[in-house]
């Protein structure tokens, strides 16, 4: 059985191991429109590292091509929060990922406890399972969740990314039961050996429109490894649902894109194009459009550099305004959770914007609810977002952490 490799520490680096893997697995705050053109921002340079020698081989991209249609579908609406914010659930402990299930029911991962809870219709919380092997510490623990729907041959699976004793890893668990009585079976390893550290663990999981599983991996303290396509550090990884490197990957391994510091948001727009949110170091946080085999510059550059070797972000913020984590696309709008920025950003329009295009970014709920870890499309078409004040870096209030809901309405 093959296994993959591990993460890095804050400033200490560890040499990457050869990859291998194991099969299977409110009130609204005042809104302020901010126009940000990524190409006008500067960057903070770090000592150069060698440019990877390998060039991605041509292959189909992860963009979904819509079928031909005599009458083109109208573009999705640009949306914004509308109406009061309500509390769906409270009493969560360092929640990390919201997983809304299509058949009804919602699961939330709790990073430090290492368990997955179900949010009940009355707002109560029920522990579904404690994931074996979680070794929480620093920014590590139980992180991203993703769902693979079932079919005639297999049950639905919930995938989870977590920090173990020696690495970050991905497992999957069969999902059973009905809303209010959901169950998760024994975990099966999908990918092990992703480098771990006290921070920069990445940890977001999402299935793309191509049916492949994508995972974000931070540089785990080993900055230079982000520029090595053969390392699992500082990457967006792409694999089959069983954990094999996905066909069409640019380097013949798990790497889909590289040169990342600590990406924690993944989402696709209606055209099937991929977006990722990424923590910067001291200067710029980033929103990136992800292309197959592209190099996003870390640690050589931070933010937009205008260097032809690298792909610039399409949006960037000072780190005090963002520290971005979860990301969702609803209609024609990106919704971005901000930890240090203590707000939700809307970025629009998402559809049709190319690299370097100007996007309008608007902050919502700034300072009202504290740190925001994740966002998700709510079952009623609104927005859910989750606080993260109990993660050791926030200022918890009575009842924290909470899962919040707000309606959405067309902008303008």
């Amino acid at each position: 059985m093959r296994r993959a490799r591990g993460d890095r520490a804050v400033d200490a680096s560890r040499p990457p191991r050869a990859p291998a893997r194991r099969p299977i697995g409110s009130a609204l705050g005042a809104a302020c429109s901010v126009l940000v053109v990524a190409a006008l921002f500067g960057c903070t340079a770090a000592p150069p590292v060698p440019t990877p020698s390998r060039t991605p081989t041509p292959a189909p991209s992860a963009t979904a091509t819509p079928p031909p249609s005599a009458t083109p579908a109208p573009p999705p609406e640009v949306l914004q929060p509308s109406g009061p914010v309500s509390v769906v659930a409270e009493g969560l402990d360092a929640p990390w990922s919201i997983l809304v299930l299509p058949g009804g029911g919602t699961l939330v991962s709790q990073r430090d406890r290492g368990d997955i809870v179900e949010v009940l219709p009355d707002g109560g919380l029920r522990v579904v399972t404690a994931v074996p092997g979680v070794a929480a510490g620093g920014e590590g623990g139980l992180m991203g969740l993703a769902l693979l729907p079932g079919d005639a041959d297999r049950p639905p699976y919930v995938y989870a990314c977590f920090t173990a004793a020696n690495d970050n890893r991905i497992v999957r668990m069969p999902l059973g039961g009905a809303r209010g009585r959901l169950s998760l079976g024994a975990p099966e390893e999908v990918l092990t050996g992703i480098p771990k550290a006290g921070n920069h663990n990445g940890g977001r999981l999402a299935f793309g429109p191509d049916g492949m599983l994508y995972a974000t991996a931070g540089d785990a303290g080993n900055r230079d490894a982000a520029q090595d396509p053969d390392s699992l550090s500082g990457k967006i990884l792409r694999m089959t649902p069983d954990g094999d490197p996905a066909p069409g990957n640019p380097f013949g391994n798990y790497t889909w894109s590289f040169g990342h510091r600590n990406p924690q948001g993944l989402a696709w727009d209606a055209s099937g194009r991929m977006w990722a949110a990424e923590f910067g170091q001291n200067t710029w946080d980033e929103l990136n459009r992800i292309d197959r085999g592209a190099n996003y510059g870390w640690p050589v550059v931070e933010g937009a550099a205008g260097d032809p070797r690298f792909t610039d972000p399409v949006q960037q913020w000072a780190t005090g305004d963002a520290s971005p984590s979860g990301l969702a696309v609803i209609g024609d709008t990106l919704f971005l959770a901000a930890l240090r920025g203590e707000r939700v950003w809307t970025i629009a329009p998402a559809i049709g914007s190319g690299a370097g295009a100007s996007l309008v970014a608007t902050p919502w709920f700034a300072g009202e609810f504290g740190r925001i870890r994740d966002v998700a499309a709510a079952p009623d078409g609104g927005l859910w977002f989750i606080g993260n004040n109990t993660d050791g870096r926030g200022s918890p209030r009575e009842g924290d952490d909470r899962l919040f809901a707000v309606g959405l309405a067309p902008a303008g």
Side-chain angles (χ1 to χ4, degrees):
M1 297 168 82
R2 296 172 288 164
R3 21 175 21 129
R5 278 176 320 204
D7 236 339
R8 59 151 190 147
V10 180
D11 287 318
S13 64
R14 55 194 291 175
R17 294 172 281 166
R21 67 143 209 75
R22 289 198 177 169
I24 74 167
S26 144
L28 290 171
C32 131
S33 289
V34 180
L35 182 63
V36 182
V37 180
L40 297 181
F41 289 114
C43 67
T44 300
V49 296
T51 301
S53 59
R54 286 189 289 157
T55 301
T57 55
S61 73
T63 298
T65 303
S69 174
T71 304
E77 289 183 308
V78 175
L79 301 172
Q80 64 184 25
S82 175
V85 174
S86 61
V87 175
V88 177
E90 61 183 13
L92 291 155
D93 188 354
W96 212 92
S97 181
I98 310 166
L99 181 60
V100 180
L101 303 172
T106 301
L107 300 177
V108 175
S109 60
Q110 299 194 119
R111 187 192 69 186
D112 298 344
R113 291 190 178 187
D115 60 18
I116 298 173
V117 298
E118 180 181 4
V119 178
L120 302 174
D122 63 359
L125 300 174
R126 169 182 168 267
V127 176
V128 177
T129 191
V131 179
V134 175
E139 296 176 4
L142 181 59
M143 298 175 289
L145 302 177
L147 175 71
L148 179 66
D151 58 26
D153 298 321
R154 53 162 176 75
Y157 280 98
V158 170
Y159 288 67
C161 180
F162 67 90
T163 307
N166 299 310
D167 60 359
N168 286 311
R169 51 183 55 197
I170 301 168
V171 299
R172 69 181 185 183
M173 298 162 281
L175 174 67
R179 186 179 183 186
R181 298 179 288 105
L182 295 172
S183 64
L184 290 168
E188 304 168 340
E189 291 179 348
V190 174
L191 181 64
T192 66
I194 305 169
K196 62 167 281 187
N199 61 3
H200 303 186
N201 289 297
R204 192 68 60 186
L205 298 178
F207 278 93
D210 57 0
M212 297 296 113
L213 178 64
Y214 292 75
T216 67
D219 67 7
N222 185 357
R223 296 159 52 105
D224 290 353
Q227 285 293 313
D228 178 4
D230 287 326
S231 168
L232 296 182
S233 296
K235 307 295 185 298
I236 293 177
L237 309 173
R238 177 174 178 262
M239 68 201 78
T240 69
D242 290 334
D244 294 305
N249 282 359
F251 305 103
N253 54 20
Y254 290 97
T255 297
W256 183 250
S257 62
F258 64 111
H260 298 288
R261 182 176 180 269
N262 189 22
Q264 282 192 8
L266 282 178
W268 285 263
D269 63 29
S271 298
R273 288 170 296 194
M274 185 177 179
W275 300 77
E278 180 165 346
F279 286 84
Q281 184 175 35
N282 299 317
T283 309
W284 299 120
D285 290 327
E286 301 179 1
L287 175 67
N288 288 299
R289 277 276 313 279
I290 302 300
D291 293 319
R292 175 185 178 272
N295 184 348
Y296 291 84
W298 177 257
V300 184
V301 298
E302 179 186 0
D307 187 319
R309 295 175 297 168
F310 310 120
T311 300
D312 281 345
V314 297
Q315 193 87 16
Q316 61 186 23
W317 298 266
T319 55
D321 293 332
S323 295
S325 187
L327 184 66
V329 177
I330 308 175
D332 197 11
T333 308
L334 284 150
F335 294 83
L336 175 65
L339 290 161
R340 186 177 169 191
E342 297 189 349
R343 67 199 69 185
V344 173
W345 284 97
T346 58
I347 304 99
I351 313 304
S353 56
S358 298
L359 303 176
V360 176
T362 306
W364 301 85
F365 321 121
E368 291 189 39
F369 306 113
R371 292 161 61 81
I372 309 299
R373 172 64 74 177
D374 197 18
V375 288
D380 64 358
L383 176 72
W384 279 2
F385 59 97
I386 203 161
N388 207 209
N389 298 316
T390 58
D391 69 347
R393 293 188 175 181
S395 300
R397 315 168 195 190
E398 186 176 355
D400 279 348
D401 276 317
R402 295 175 171 89
L403 174 62
F404 300 98
V406 66
L408 298 176

